[in-house]
Amino acid sequence: MKITVVGTGNMGAGFVKQFSAAGHQVRVTGRDTAKAQALASRFTNVTALDAANALADSEVVVLAVGYADAPAAMLALGDLTGRVVIDITNPLTPDYMALTLGHTTSASEELAKRVPGAHVVKAFNT
């Protein structure tokens, strides 16, 4: 499978590691291109690219960024129509003590509104 991971932090790196170990073709992108390149160099079948080139023919996108950064990160990839977008974000307040969304709508519902042609799935939340 061809997978794009957006985010190079702990969660993004964990997904890159596991997808690589499973033999998937992985593209990784993040705000810091050097960090994405350093992450990609640690694993087989992993390529670091800037956001505009990271999507290509990936069937799945893992959105492993902070919720506030998620809309811009998704839009930077380009057209997500028909793609599965796995949203692992948590819409937390700055002190991590409460949710900013979740009582009348969810983070995934709000993100899905921004990419109506994509199949947004919520997963891996803790």
Side-chain angles (χ1 to χ4, degrees):
M1 182 178 290
K2 297 173 184 172
I3 303 169
T4 296
V5 176
V6 182
T8 58
N10 290 337
M11 292 299 290
F15 281 104
V16 167
K17 176 183 178 181
Q18 295 303 319
F19 291 147
S20 171
H24 297 292
Q25 292 181 345
V26 182
R27 296 179 182 96
V28 61
T29 189
R31 282 187 295 225
D32 183 339
T33 305
K35 189 173 179 181
Q37 290 171 341
L39 176 60
S41 71
R42 294 173 32 205
F43 305 104
T44 59
N45 301 321
V46 180
T47 306
L49 298 161
D50 61 79
N53 295 302
L55 184 59
D57 58 350
S58 290
E59 299 123 329
V60 175
V61 173
V62 176
L63 192 57
V65 298
Y67 177 73
D69 297 325
M74 286 189 315
L75 295 176
L77 294 173
D79 185 10
L80 292 170
T81 300
R83 319 283 176 131
V84 174
V85 176
I86 301 173
D87 167 27
I88 73 163
T89 67
N90 288 308
L92 299 172
T93 57
D95 64 2
Y96 298 101
M97 298 305 291
L99 294 173
T100 60
L101 293 171
H103 306 288
T104 59
T105 187
S106 71
S108 286
E109 288 173 308
E110 293 304 309
L111 294 175
K113 289 177 186 177
R114 296 176 180 261
V115 289
H119 307 286
V120 179
V121 179
K122 189 71 161 175
F124 302 105
N125 294 101
T126 57

